[in-house]
Amino acid sequence: MWGGRFAAGPAAIMEEINVSIDFDKRLAAQDLAGSRAHAQMLVAKGILSQEDGTAIARGLDQVAAEIEAGRFTFRRELEDIHLNVESRLAELIGPAAGRLHTGRSRNDQVATDFRLWVREACDHAGERLTLLQRALLAQAEAHAETIMPGFTHMQPAQPVSFAHHCLAYVEMFARDRGRFADARKRMNESPLGSAALAGTPYPIDRQMTAQALGFDRPMRNSMDAVSARDFALEYLAAASIAATHLSRLAEEIVLWAAPAYGFIKLSDAFTTGSSIMPQKRNPDAAELVRAKTGRILGSFVALSTVMKGLALAYAKDLQEDKEAVFQAADALDLALAAMAGMAADLKPQPQNMRRAAEAGYPTATDLADFIVTTLKKPFREAHHSAGAIVKLAEEKGVALADLPLSAMQTVEPGLTDKVFAVLKLESSLHARTSEGGTAPARVREQIAFWRKELA
């Protein structure tokens, strides 16, 4: 390609470090789309003859058919997807293929291809997240009244419904969808036509190519266009946050499926056995989802490190951008698919959840609230009294609801037997009626909202 300037070929190790076709062949569809748009624009502007434009279009269609059928030979000596396509095009249509590169560079070509690919990855992540939200919503619809312990500091705190817990993740994954959508909006500008870094003297129409490729507009600065990779970083940042949320849910599934909790059961579809212990049912899918977070976050750190010291404009360092994004996208896609499957597959065990919710005096706050409302005490004073009553129950080894009223009255003489009504798990659950609370009435409002949003 640059034989006019160089008298000898590259060293073997230079060829090895320079080649990118092994991974950037994933950009074939985007490269072909960009070339079609560029060729059509060149014809429209009179830079390319109609005859050459027709030949290029026909040749590109044949290249696309060969790639789709698995008959295309990707050659490492041609370095990247761009030269592989151009070389095959030349074999098919002759010298006209050499006119396709008029008014563009591999710099704006790869920046365009990569934006198109990452744009599709954002859309795909949003679709996967929606499927996961729907699976969690289905669980919530079935379990608005299923009581489980809510935790803080991994200690039983207050009763919540399993539906409320599931909907917390629906909210998280909604924000993840929003991040991918926001990133997509910002990256939806076309670098094509910026050439190497300074633009081109040919009378090209960048608006035309941008529109043909579904971009909102051309990028305004040619140097920025060929060297910016913040769109890839933003995708990786969104992927890292989404993976963190997936990992949190995966951790809970691992805990819930353990016999010590017994909150859920997973089927054979998402568990494995042991090579030595016949009784084992291991939640390996959840564990692997949890682990994928490291791979995805690692990709973000890797690309950030590549970018941090690059002066404008293009440098070959940018060849390292694609593998990080491809690996993260693959890991995220697999993790989202596995988590959606597990969310639909898991079977809650309400009796075990309730048993766990009864431990740790989870209605102590309800007792404090009762003292506030009936005895008109300040909350801090009521909190102290409720704590003292919990201590009595703990000393006697009984639940709050089983502590005699006379014992409670040694702390708060004004208490009556009406206090026992608020010490029931169901009472506590139904009492949390503030907006966004765990009361079944409020939870069903959330379910109705998400059913509409995810329809």
Side-chain angles (χ1 to χ4, degrees), residues 364-365 367-368 371 381-391 400 411-412:
T365 304
L367 174 58
I371 294 170
E381 186 177 333
H383 182 283
H384 181 82
S385 297
I389 293 171
V390 167
K391 185 176 181 181
L400 271 179
V411 177
E412 282 291 353

Side-chain angles (χ1 to χ4, degrees), residues 106-165:
R106 281 196 300 175
N107 293 356
D108 63 333
Q109 191 177 357
V110 69
T112 302
D113 293 356
F114 199 28
R115 276 181 187 262
L116 290 171
W117 195 96
V118 177
R119 188 178 73 182
E120 291 175 17
C122 287
D123 292 340
H124 187 66
E127 292 164 6
R128 286 289 201 194
L129 283 161
T130 300
L131 293 176
L132 174 53
Q133 286 181 289
R134 287 174 180 161
L136 290 166
L137 180 62
Q139 291 285 1
E141 288 178 315
H143 292 283
E145 303 266 0
T146 298
I147 295 176
M148 67 175 291
F151 294 92
T152 62
H153 307 278
M154 285 302 292
Q155 303 295 315
Q158 292 177 309
V160 298
S161 70
F162 184 63
H164 197 55
H165 201 118

Side-chain angles (χ1 to χ4, degrees), residues 171-404:
E171 296 282 346
M172 290 185 212
F173 295 131
R175 293 193 295 276
D176 291 326
R177 284 173 56 202
R179 273 181 278 272
F180 284 114
D182 288 344
R184 190 197 194 284
K185 289 177 185 176
R186 267 183 292 280
M187 72 179 65
N188 204 35
E189 296 181 337
S190 175
L192 192 58
S194 298
L197 79 160
T200 176
Y202 297 98
I204 62 173
D205 185 343
R206 294 188 62 212
Q207 293 285 348
M208 181 179 175
T209 52
Q211 183 177 5
L213 294 170
F215 289 113
D216 294 332
R217 64 192 69 85
M219 295 184 74
R220 281 184 291 271
N221 184 285
S222 60
M223 295 181 73
D224 178 46
V226 299
S227 62
R229 292 299 184 271
D230 53 335
F231 68 93
L233 283 169
E234 193 166 5
Y235 169 80
L236 291 174
S240 296
I241 297 171
T244 301
H245 290 156
L246 287 169
S247 186
R248 295 183 73 181
L249 180 53
E251 169 71 3
E252 298 211 278
I253 288 175
V254 170
L255 292 174
W256 292 346
Y261 281 74
F263 288 3
I264 63 169
K265 286 185 178 179
L266 291 170
S267 74
D268 295 351
F270 292 95
T271 55
T272 65
S274 165
S275 64
I276 187 174
M277 295 169 283
Q279 83 282 9
K280 292 297 292 297
R281 180 186 291 276
N282 300 321
D284 283 7
E287 292 169 9
L288 289 167
V289 168
R290 189 174 57 186
K292 295 293 182 188
T293 306
R295 184 186 296 260
I296 296 167
L297 180 58
S299 292
F300 175 77
V301 173
L303 184 54
S304 297
T305 305
V306 168
M307 296 302 301
K308 72 173 183 63
L310 291 187
L312 291 176
Y314 183 85
K316 194 70 171 185
D317 308 52
L318 292 174
Q319 185 168 291
E320 291 293 308
D321 58 0
K322 285 168 282 296
E323 281 186 289
V325 172
F326 292 160
Q327 290 173 4
D330 289 345
L332 180 64
D333 186 52
L334 187 56
L336 283 168
M339 187 56 76
M342 280 185 287
D345 178 76
L346 65 85
K347 297 292 187 291
Q349 304 297 301
Q351 290 182 334
N352 293 341
M353 289 183 177
R354 183 185 180 87
R355 190 178 304 115
E358 290 170 344
Y361 306 99
T363 56
T365 304
D366 298 270
L367 174 58
D369 291 335
F370 182 82
I371 294 170
V372 168
T373 56
T374 61
L375 303 184
K376 309 304 180 186
K377 297 285 186 76
F379 181 79
R380 286 302 172 200
E381 186 177 333
H383 182 283
H384 181 82
S385 297
I389 293 171
V390 167
K391 185 176 181 181
L392 287 176
E394 198 171 39
E395 289 170 351
K396 293 180 180 294
V398 298
L400 271 179
D402 296 326
L403 186 67

Side-chain angles (χ1 to χ4, degrees), residues 7-142:
I13 192 64
M14 174 59 191
E15 194 169 303
E16 188 64 28
I17 197 173
N18 196 44
V19 70
S20 62
I21 189 60
D22 296 338
F23 53 85
D24 71 16
K25 61 186 176 184
R26 291 180 66 160
L27 298 175
Q30 291 76 23
D31 195 70
L32 289 163
S35 290
R36 287 191 187 98
H38 187 66
Q40 289 166 4
M41 180 273 296
L42 292 177
V43 171
K45 298 298 291 181
I47 301 169
L48 197 65
S49 71
Q50 183 65 58
E51 182 183 1
D52 284 344
T54 300
I56 287 171
R58 185 178 66 249
L60 290 173
D61 286 345
Q62 185 169 338
V63 171
E66 289 177 3
I67 292 174
E68 187 173 345
R71 292 185 283 105
F72 188 92
T73 300
F74 293 100
R75 295 160 54 190
R76 299 185 90 241
E77 67 270 20
L78 293 175
E79 291 188 16
D80 56 30
I81 186 60
H82 322 299
L83 293 186
N84 268 265
V85 169
E86 186 176 325
S87 176
R88 179 57 180 149
L89 186 64
E91 292 173 356
L92 292 171
I93 68 171
R99 295 189 172 93
L100 175 60
H101 211 53
T102 305
R104 74 175 183 183
S105 161
R106 281 196 300 175
N107 293 356
D108 63 333
Q109 191 177 357
V110 69
T112 302
D113 293 356
F114 199 28
R115 276 181 187 262
L116 290 171
W117 195 96
V118 177
R119 188 178 73 182
E120 291 175 17
C122 287
D123 292 340
H124 187 66
E127 292 164 6
R128 286 289 201 194
L129 283 161
T130 300
L131 293 176
L132 174 53
Q133 286 181 289
R134 287 174 180 161
L136 290 166
L137 180 62
Q139 291 285 1
E141 288 178 315

